[in-house]
Amino acid sequence: MYRLNRFPVEHCLASYVHVFSQYRESLRCNWAFSNAVENFAVRNYAYIFNWMPYNVPVLLFVRYVTYSLTMAWTYQDVLIMVISAYVKARYRQFFWRVEAACSGAVLPGKSFWMEIREHYVVISEFLMHVDRMYSPLVVSSCCNNIFLICYLLLHSLKPQPYTISFIYFWYTLCFLIGRALTTLWMAAELNREKGTALRVVQRIASDAWCPELERYYLQLRAEVGALSGGRFFHLTHQTTFTIAAVIFTYELVMIKYSRMTAANVGIPENCSAMAFSQD
């Protein structure tokens, strides 16, 4: 599994970059302030401290909420990986039994395939139950990852002012792409496991087929053994490549339009008095 313990490193690095960038901004603009923490809070959380006086408890609460939401965003991918790995193990355990039975000199009869089909229905219903519970999580994970990857790739052509900003940007981008690909790939292994079982059945000689085996074969072909995002899409290898193609197309379009747009539109000027710094 992808090393998700890098998440605290990424979060701490992000916090350090924000503080360092604002410190360099204050030196460049010759800003004088008596409380560096208050200045950081007012400029980075103006949507809160414009409506209430600055105080430390509120700042600590905001930082706690920020860290908690970032951690939840990361570990929703971990949860999808764990669920996918568990369901895949159950599928593999079941399909290994079928493969072992079909590898012998004597092929199984009607009673065996009746039992196999009944067990397969139970596992399929279990997957459907898991999918109903966690499909909102799949949608949230895919939307968050796609949005942030597109956002970071769009800003990848922008020069970074400091070495630490450069390191943070590319570390975050690589970490995010690696985590998203790992999540999608592990979830897609479910459907791949089912495809392997389908090929095992297709190798059985025609004279050994029976109505129960045929029903089992039709169920394997008709059902998609994968987690879904509200049944709008399924997490398969094809979906992974489709998402990659969509991101690539989006970036080409956005890069084209960004070059046609005036430079620095919407970005605060240096030493601007706006509440948010350009970092």
Side-chain angles (χ1 to χ4, degrees), residues 109 126-127 135 160 209 246:
F126 170 70
L127 177 60
S135 60
Q160 300 297 323
W209 278 62
V246 169

Side-chain angles (χ1 to χ4, degrees), residues 75-144:
Y75 282 95
Q76 68 180 358
D77 290 346
V78 178
L79 185 57
I80 294 174
M81 293 182 198
V82 171
I83 293 171
S84 301
Y86 175 76
V87 178
K88 177 186 175 183
R90 298 297 298 170
Y91 266 110
R92 178 173 293 179
Q93 183 183 21
F94 173 77
F95 292 143
W96 274 351
R97 180 188 174 191
V98 177
E99 186 174 4
C102 296
S103 301
V106 179
L107 294 177
K110 178 180 178 180
S111 59
F112 173 81
W113 291 115
M114 182 181 297
E115 181 183 357
I116 286 297
R117 194 181 66 81
E118 291 175 352
H119 290 176
Y120 176 75
V121 169
V122 173
I123 296 178
S124 297
E125 289 178 349
F126 170 70
L127 177 60
M128 291 175 60
H129 176 70
V130 171
D131 183 61
R132 282 195 300 268
M133 291 181 60
Y134 293 102
S135 60
L137 192 69
V138 172
V139 174
S140 174
S141 173
C142 292
C143 290
N144 283 330

